[in-house]
Amino acid sequence: MEKFKKIILSENEMPKQWYNIMADMPNKPLPPLHPATKQPVGPEDLAAVFPMELIKQEVSAERYIDIPDEVLDLYMKFRPSPLFRATSLEKALGTKSKIYYKYEGGNYSGSHKANTAIAQAYYNKQEGVRRITTETGAGQWGSAMSFACNHFGLELLVFMVKVSYNQKPGRKLLMNTYNAKVVPSPSTLTSAGRKILEMDPDSPGSLGIAISEAMEIAAQDPYTKYSLGSVLNHVILHQTIVGQEAMIQIEKAGDYPDVVIGCFGGGSNFSGIGFPFLREKLQHGKNVRLVAVEPSSCPKLTKGKFTYDFGDTAGMTPLLPMYTLGHNFMPDKIHAGGLRYHGAGVLVSQLLKDGFIEAKAKMQRECFEGAVLFARTEGILPAPESSYAIAGALDEARKADLEGVSKTILFNLSGHGHFDISAYEKYFENNLPDHELTAAEVENAISKIEVPV
Amino acid sequence: MEKFKKIILSENEMPKQWYNIMADMPNKPLPPLHPATKQPVGPEDLAAVFPMELIKQEVSAERYIDIPDEVLDLYMKFRPSPLFRATSLEKALGTKSKIYYKYEGGNYSGSHKANTAIAQAYYNKQEGVRRITTETGAGQWGSAMSFACNHFGLELLVFMVKVSYNQKPGRKLLMNTYNAKVVPSPSTLTSAGRKILEMDPDSPGSLGIAISEAMEIAAQDPYTKYSLGSVLNHVILHQTIVGQEAMIQIEKAGDYPDVVIGCFGGGSNFSGIGFPFLREKLQHGKNVRLVAVEPSSCPKLTKGKFTYDFGDTAGMTPLLPMYTLGHNFMPDKIHAGGLRYHGAGVLVSQLLKDGFIEAKAKMQRECFEGAVLFARTEGILPAPESSYAIAGALDEARKADLEGVSKTILFNLSGHGHFDISAYEKYFENNLPDHELTAAEVENAISKIEVPV
């Protein structure tokens, strides 16, 4: 085992269930509330936009949920994904620590998003849905959903955040290749989009706005449903395949992580790799830290407020109890489009509040610096989002070296950056602005959160 | 085994030697000739541009050559590569045949080129070389070499064929990220480039021209060597890791191919997957067909002449006995930049002449049609080059179905198309010209070959 670079699992070794952390949380999250009645939403309130099986998963307290055969079948086109030991990166750092990364960029979509896209498309198809609407930031989620919908014979309409639509034209073309229709958001197709454009015709868009647009279209037609790429419990559930595999792999390597790191947008890739390890901590007291890394310009975990807020800008979603910068918060145009989201998923928010996970914020230039070091040592060009996880891992290794100890560090390399190469160009041109949200900016953002309960 | 999607090998199962088909060829190829003396070139003639170990491999008759530990070590970042069963594609075709593909796009460079890049960079480093020059078409080879050179501490200067430089800006940026310098070819840096630009300031460039430029620079400095991404025997040798793995994998699946297919530029990806199977045919009479698929607009295998010709446009290489359209042939600006080469490697040429392999030519629109079908079914977006192998595989499946038989088809999906997405845009816009070289065009091209021996 001395010289191994990666741990590969066979298809037989792939976990056949998703893990639901709800079952093991000491404090269950507060319920989502109906914006009008302020009462907990029931399944029927969500049925207009989601298929019933996903609604059941959203509220389930079952510890394990079987992955359907059709989903397993499609997973096996790219799963289990490899776990790498970052030996070249370790050498470049001169660290005493061991750095592992789970690589989720090796599939058709180039990111972990395929794990939930396939599941969501499958359940929708099962329930007779004909068309799906969704949002996408950098386009990883939209790409993942495009192939999945096409596979199951569903139409897909993607609202792509305008700044990313312009930054990453290749992602739109990839979605088109998989038969999806893509429009830049805010758009004139919806009243939510038109309203934003009236206020700011040059709005760069945000995930919050794109969600509003996609939900608005879905609510108009019984055969159209809406699909979300992160934040929600069922999305996080589907991503736990990542951490379950990683645990088998790192144990095969004769190791166990001291710290597990993910970048943080809505929470699904962080939770996907982290929650199975947190399970071991909650159930058996096994020692492990979970660290979420978010952009300094969109710091909901580190500077946001824990309160009920909408998941989208127009206020169409239920009210969710979460760390948020306010559903009207407009994030900077950073290249990590998938991290430009105002709130954190409910499960992560509760766990952060209860001290079971940690969060930190990083500037984009430092993250790209880490991404370039990673590319030059490990080879793979990281997605801008994943660069935040890399920066988090480098922090941990350096800290351990300063303390004279050796740690075992695991992070999720959630995607590759082949469609984000213009961001690297900007980095090399020294043309990536850094912005840490000031106390006044945070105060201002939070003051605008209407807390309707 | 019923439902498997792919066969994965562990690092322990990775072959530790390359296979040299020279040992098993009934008719050995004619020797390369010195252009001035018309005598067979000796190692000393090549020493100005290649390190001695690669020259030895170029002329070796040993059946197996050990892969150095340092090369194995880097291979293990991405090898063994997966072998997939294309179940979704088979279903879409309704074929009775089984289609397998070896996927070489899962590594940092996005193609099979990493297999030889790492080896070449290693041997150069061992012999004290400080800088490498090379050509690249679509940029797969340049990307592969950039990381490999950076890893071993070598500088790299890449001459990128101008049409591809403009079509695929992301590839240049990727090479820059790996610390390489990239210039569009023809350039004003070399007399070869300047000569072409004098004749045609708008020359789109070609691999032949870019090779001349890279060799010219290398010949000027004892610490600078030249590196080639295909054509030569040692390059093909390094690629045989692909076919050796594929054989283990397909046998694990309880199968064996009736036909092995690769796209064809200079021959390295085709030979890489095919030669280990051809070994079984040559040594043990095991029945297998090898089919090389080239562009109809650059048909050296199907319409070229078998003769001595230069490997580059300026006539700096030794004279090689090969199928060629003439070293001055200017291929169409097809998006499969890696296939825009006037000649075929010596080993492949001899084997084609002797009837051990087959060749066919395809139009680019039909290849993109196959690539889109492949993307929508199997998920992975193919490189334009690889689309020719897909088209070849689809031909074989359809032919077998017409004949009412079931065949086992294996092809090399040599790379992904993430940096080639603009080519797909052109395809969807119905803006991809098709051109089959006419008899008169072939006649004209071949008439210009000076046969100096």
Side-chain angles (χ1 to χ4, degrees):
Chain A
M1 290 300 271
E2 267 301 291
K3 291 198 68 173
F4 78 93
K5 296 288 169 183
K6 55 190 179 316
I7 304 285
I8 297 289
L9 301 179
S10 72
E11 294 178 355
N12 295 332
E13 292 172 289
M14 187 171 79
K16 303 297 185 289
Q17 296 182 310
W18 293 303
Y19 166 61
N20 181 10
I21 200 161
M22 191 87 89
D24 292 314
M25 288 170 76
N27 297 320
K28 308 301 177 198
L30 298 170
L33 301 182
H34 193 288
T37 65
K38 311 289 186 295
Q39 295 301 306
V41 295
E44 65 288 356
D45 295 312
L46 299 170
V49 288
F50 292 118
M52 196 46 67
E53 205 56 39
L54 290 177
I55 295 171
K56 282 189 201 160
Q57 292 181 359
E58 188 64 20
V59 299
S60 172
E62 291 292 314
R63 183 167 283 115
Y64 293 101
I65 292 174
D66 288 342
I67 306 175
D69 281 349
E70 291 85 343
V71 174
L72 287 173
D73 200 55
L74 216 44
Y75 274 4
M76 286 194 293
K77 280 192 187 290
F78 56 90
R79 303 211 71 86
S81 70
L83 178 81
F84 288 91
R85 171 88 183 267
T87 48
S88 301
L89 177 64
E90 289 172 16
K91 197 172 154 200
L93 291 173
T95 184
K96 288 205 279 190
S97 291
K98 292 185 247 182
I99 304 177
Y100 291 89
Y101 58 98
K102 180 77 167 163
Y103 182 44
E104 287 292 311
N107 66 66
Y108 69 88
S109 74
S111 84
H112 67 294
K113 296 290 187 186
N115 301 323
T116 183
I118 290 165
Q120 292 191 47
Y122 166 76
Y123 289 117
N124 273 284
K125 182 64 180 180
Q126 287 297 103
E127 299 186 24
V129 173
R130 295 176 192 166
R131 185 171 70 148
I132 304 235
T133 61
T134 194
E135 78 294 331
T136 198
Q140 296 178 335
W141 164 241
S143 307
M145 201 59 187
S146 298
F147 172 75
C149 285
N150 190 63
H151 177 87
F152 288 111
L154 296 161
E155 284 179 50
L156 180 67
L157 173 62
V158 182
F159 289 89
M160 183 170 187
V161 176
K162 196 183 279 171
V163 57
S164 293
Y165 187 92
N166 293 328
Q167 279 170 347
K168 303 167 204 287
R171 278 287 178 189
K172 172 195 171 284
L173 291 166
L174 182 62
M175 291 184 256
N176 291 157
T177 303
Y178 294 137
N179 260 330
K181 191 173 164 189
V182 186
V183 290
S185 165
S187 79
T188 55
L189 292 185
T190 66
S191 66
R194 288 189 296 268
K195 199 172 148 193
I196 298 285
L197 288 172
E198 266 167 41
M199 291 187 296
D200 177 8
D202 297 324
S203 168
S206 70
L207 282 165
I209 296 168
I211 293 170
S212 296
E213 293 208 271
M215 284 185 73
E216 184 179 324
I217 298 284
Q220 291 164 3
D221 169 22
Y223 293 104
T224 300
K225 299 280 183 198
Y226 165 70
S227 175
L228 184 62
S230 187
V231 181
L232 297 179
N233 301 353
H234 67 270
V235 182
I236 284 168
L237 175 80
H238 303 154
Q239 292 295 355
T240 58
I241 186 91
V242 177
Q244 291 185 86
E245 283 180 8
M247 191 180 296
I248 299 169
Q249 289 166 312
I250 203 162
E251 287 181 342
K252 273 199 177 190
D255 242 324
Y256 201 83
D258 295 301
V259 57
V260 181
I261 301 165
C263 63
F264 199 92
S268 76
N269 111 74
F270 166 75
S271 308
I273 192 158
F275 281 2
F277 290 96
L278 191 51
R279 173 191 67 203
E280 297 304 299
K281 180 173 185 163
L282 293 170
Q283 287 184 358
H284 310 296
K286 204 151 180 175
N287 203 26
V288 67
R289 292 166 53 222
L290 266 62
V291 179
V293 188
E294 64 183 3
S296 298
S297 56
C298 191
K300 63 259 185 177
L301 294 175
T302 52
K303 298 189 177 172
K305 180 173 175 177
F306 184 85
T307 182
Y308 271 102
D309 194 9
F310 291 108
D312 71 318
T313 301
M316 301 182 69
T317 69
L319 287 161
L320 302 169
M322 59 183 186
Y323 282 94
T324 176
L325 293 163
H327 61 279
N328 285 308
F329 178 74
M330 178 55 69
D332 281 11
K333 294 184 271 185
I334 57 170
H335 285 269
L339 309 187
R340 294 180 70 247
Y341 186 65
H342 66 277
V346 165
L347 295 172
V348 168
S349 290
Q350 186 65 44
L351 288 162
L352 178 65
K353 188 160 178 282
D354 291 342
F356 289 109
I357 63 179
E358 303 168 33
K360 69 192 303 182
K362 302 291 283 186
M363 303 276 225
Q364 70 173 342
R365 267 207 297 268
E366 184 186 339
C367 295
F368 272 93
E369 191 185 321
V372 169
L373 175 64
F374 185 87
R376 288 181 181 165
T377 51
E378 294 297 313
I380 300 166
L381 187 82
E385 289 82 1
S386 311
S387 75
Y388 287 78
I390 293 170
L394 296 180
D395 278 357
E396 293 292 333
R398 287 167 180 149
K399 196 177 105 212
D401 287 327
L402 280 177
E403 293 168 359
V405 296
S406 165
K407 296 285 185 184
T408 298
I409 299 161
L410 167 65
F411 73 91
N412 196 4
L413 187 69
S414 54
H416 68 62
H418 298 167
F419 292 99
D420 310 278
I421 193 81
S422 68
Y424 284 86
E425 187 174 26
K426 293 274 189 299
Y427 169 75
F428 287 118
E429 289 168 351
N430 205 11
N431 192 12
L432 280 185
D434 264 348
H435 174 208
E436 185 175 348
L437 226 58
T438 64
E441 285 171 320
V442 171
E443 183 67 28
N444 179 47
I446 287 178
S447 71
K448 288 184 189 155
I449 303 175
E450 307 137 38
V451 186
V453 280
Chain B
M1 289 302 269
E2 267 300 291
K3 290 198 69 174
F4 77 94
K5 297 286 167 183
K6 55 190 178 318
I7 304 285
I8 298 289
L9 301 179
S10 73
E11 293 177 356
N12 295 332
E13 293 172 289
M14 188 171 79
K16 304 296 184 289
Q17 297 182 308
W18 294 302
Y19 166 62
N20 182 9
I21 200 161
M22 191 88 87
D24 292 313
M25 288 170 75
N27 297 320
K28 309 300 177 198
L30 298 169
L33 301 182
H34 194 288
T37 65
K38 310 289 186 296
Q39 295 302 306
V41 295
E44 65 288 356
D45 295 311
L46 300 170
V49 288
F50 294 117
M52 197 46 67
E53 204 57 39
L54 291 177
I55 296 171
K56 281 189 201 159
Q57 291 181 359
E58 189 65 20
V59 299
S60 172
E62 290 293 314
R63 183 168 283 117
Y64 292 101
I65 293 175
D66 287 342
I67 306 176
D69 281 349
E70 292 85 344
V71 174
L72 287 173
D73 199 56
L74 216 44
Y75 273 5
M76 287 194 292
K77 281 193 187 288
F78 56 90
R79 304 210 70 86
S81 70
L83 178 81
F84 288 91
R85 172 87 183 267
T87 49
S88 301
L89 177 63
E90 289 172 16
K91 199 174 152 197
L93 291 173
T95 184
K96 290 205 279 190
S97 290
K98 291 185 249 183
I99 304 177
Y100 291 88
Y101 57 98
K102 180 77 166 164
Y103 182 44
E104 288 290 313
N107 67 65
Y108 70 87
S109 74
S111 84
H112 66 294
K113 296 291 187 186
N115 301 323
T116 184
I118 290 165
Q120 292 192 46
Y122 166 76
Y123 289 117
N124 273 285
K125 182 64 181 181
Q126 286 297 103
E127 298 186 25
V129 173
R130 295 177 193 165
R131 185 170 70 146
I132 303 233
T133 62
T134 195
E135 78 295 330
T136 198
Q140 296 179 334
W141 163 242
S143 306
M145 201 60 187
S146 298
F147 172 75
C149 285
N150 191 63
H151 177 87
F152 288 111
L154 296 162
E155 284 178 51
L156 180 67
L157 173 62
V158 182
F159 289 89
M160 183 171 187
V161 176
K162 196 182 280 172
V163 57
S164 293
Y165 186 92
N166 294 328
Q167 279 170 346
K168 304 167 205 284
R171 278 286 178 190
K172 170 195 172 284
L173 292 165
L174 182 62
M175 291 183 257
N176 291 157
T177 303
Y178 294 136
N179 261 330
K181 190 173 165 189
V182 187
V183 291
S185 164
S187 79
T188 54
L189 293 185
T190 66
S191 66
R194 288 189 296 270
K195 199 172 148 195
I196 298 286
L197 288 171
E198 267 168 41
M199 290 188 295
D200 178 8
D202 296 324
S203 168
S206 70
L207 282 164
I209 296 168
I211 294 170
S212 297
E213 293 208 89
M215 285 186 72
E216 184 179 323
I217 298 284
Q220 291 163 2
D221 169 23
Y223 293 104
T224 300
K225 299 280 182 198
Y226 165 70
S227 175
L228 184 62
S230 188
V231 181
L232 296 179
N233 301 353
H234 66 270
V235 182
I236 284 167
L237 175 80
H238 303 153
Q239 292 295 354
T240 58
I241 186 92
V242 177
Q244 291 185 85
E245 283 181 7
M247 190 179 297
I248 300 169
Q249 289 166 312
I250 203 162
E251 287 181 342
K252 273 199 178 191
D255 243 324
Y256 201 82
D258 295 301
V259 56
V260 181
I261 301 165
C263 64
F264 199 93
S268 76
N269 111 75
F270 166 76
S271 307
I273 193 159
F275 282 2
F277 290 96
L278 191 51
R279 173 191 66 203
E280 297 304 299
K281 181 174 184 162
L282 293 169
Q283 288 184 358
H284 309 296
K286 205 152 180 177
N287 203 27
V288 67
R289 292 167 52 222
L290 266 63
V291 179
V293 188
E294 65 183 2
S296 298
S297 56
C298 192
K300 62 259 186 177
L301 294 175
T302 52
K303 298 188 176 172
K305 180 174 175 177
F306 185 86
T307 182
Y308 271 101
D309 194 10
F310 291 108
D312 71 317
T313 301
M316 299 182 69
T317 69
L319 288 161
L320 303 169
M322 59 183 184
Y323 281 94
T324 177
L325 293 163
H327 61 279
N328 284 308
F329 178 74
M330 178 55 70
D332 282 10
K333 294 184 271 184
I334 57 170
H335 285 269
L339 309 187
R340 294 180 69 246
Y341 186 65
H342 66 278
V346 165
L347 295 172
V348 168
S349 290
Q350 186 65 43
L351 288 162
L352 178 66
K353 188 160 179 284
D354 291 342
F356 290 109
I357 63 178
E358 303 169 32
K360 70 192 301 181
K362 302 291 284 184
M363 303 276 224
Q364 69 173 343
R365 265 209 298 271
E366 184 186 339
C367 294
F368 271 93
E369 191 184 321
V372 169
L373 175 64
F374 185 86
R376 288 182 181 165
T377 51
E378 294 297 312
I380 299 165
L381 187 82
E385 288 82 1
S386 311
S387 76
Y388 288 78
I390 293 171
L394 296 180
D395 278 357
E396 293 292 332
R398 286 168 180 149
K399 195 176 105 210
D401 287 328
L402 280 176
E403 293 169 357
V405 297
S406 165
K407 296 285 185 183
T408 298
I409 300 161
L410 167 65
F411 72 91
N412 196 5
L413 187 69
S414 55
H416 68 62
H418 298 167
F419 292 98
D420 310 279
I421 193 81
S422 69
Y424 284 86
E425 187 174 25
K426 293 273 188 299
Y427 169 74
F428 286 118
E429 289 169 349
N430 205 10
N431 192 11
L432 281 185
D434 263 349
H435 174 208
E436 184 175 346
L437 226 60
T438 63
E441 285 170 320
V442 172
E443 183 67 29
N444 179 47
I446 288 178
S447 71
K448 290 182 189 157
I449 303 175
E450 308 138 38
V451 186
V453 279

